[in-house]
Amino acid sequence: MQKLIVALCLSGAAAYVAPVAPSAGSKLAASKDEVVALAEANPDFLGKAIGFWDPLGALDTNFWGLGNEGTIGYLRHAEIKHGRVAMAGFVGYCLHANGIQFPIHIPGDYSTKSPAELWDQVPESGKWQIILFVGFLEFFSESGANGAHYTKGGKPG
C-alpha cells in the first residue's frame, strides 16, 4: 500500500519536468521507403487492398531542388493545411445554411441569402483584409519562425 501511494505521488512529478528538445540530428521528414512501409502497414481494409498507391509518382519528384525528403515534407504540410481550410469552410457553410449566426449582429440581411451571395455582399476592402491576413499567416508559417521548416526536418502542420 505504501509503495502504491509513493508511486502515485511521484507519477504527477513527471508533469513538471521540461520536455526534451529533439537533437539537431533528429529527422522528422520521412523518406520514400518509410512512406511506402507506412502505407503497406495500414491495418484497415483500404490499406490492405491497395497498399502503397502513388499514380502520379509524387514521391519521385523533386520540388524546387528540395530532394525527396523535402518534397515529402512539403506534400504532407500542403495536405494538412488544405484539409484544415476545407474543414473550416465546410463548417462555416453548414452553420450559415442552418441559420446559425454570431451573437453580435453585423449590419445587413443574412437570413435569405446563400453563403455565395453573402461573399458577394462583402465590400472589396473586406475581401482584401481577409486575403492579406491569410497571406500574413502563410508568410509567418513559411518563415520558419516557429522552429525548423517542414522541408528541412521540421514537423509539418
Side-chain angles (χ1 to χ4, degrees):
M1 183 67 174
Q2 292 174 343
K3 290 181 183 180
L4 178 64
I5 292 173
V6 169
L8 289 174
C9 289
L10 293 178
S11 65
Y16 299 105
V17 177
V20 177
S23 64
S26 69
K27 180 176 92 166
L28 293 175
S31 68
K32 181 179 178 182
D33 296 332
E34 292 169 339
V35 173
V36 171
L38 179 66
E40 291 174 349
N42 192 353
D44 65 359
F45 173 74
L46 190 60
K48 289 179 182 177
I50 295 176
F52 178 69
W53 189 64
D54 185 16
L56 299 178
L59 293 182
D60 293 325
T61 57
N62 186 4
F63 292 170
W64 304 288
L66 295 172
N68 195 324
E69 293 180 2
T71 300
I72 291 171
Y74 174 81
L75 292 173
R76 282 183 171 181
H77 182 75
E79 181 180 9
I80 292 168
K81 180 172 45 175
H82 291 110
R84 288 176 179 165
V85 170
M87 286 186 281
F90 178 75
V91 168
Y93 191 93
C94 289
L95 288 175
H96 174 73
N98 288 309
I100 300 171
Q101 296 181 3
F102 287 115
I104 301 171
H105 179 70
I106 301 171
D109 179 28
Y110 303 110
S111 58
T112 60
K113 295 186 178 182
S114 71
E117 290 173 332
L118 286 177
W119 175 253
D120 292 338
Q121 182 179 323
V122 174
E124 288 292 321
S125 60
K127 291 177 184 177
W128 278 108
Q129 286 176 359
I130 294 169
I131 291 169
L132 290 175
F133 179 71
V134 171
F136 167 76
L137 293 177
E138 183 70 18
F139 174 78
F140 183 76
S141 72
E142 290 293 321
S143 69
N146 52 350
H149 196 265
Y150 54 85
T151 60
K152 294 178 176 52
K155 185 177 180 183

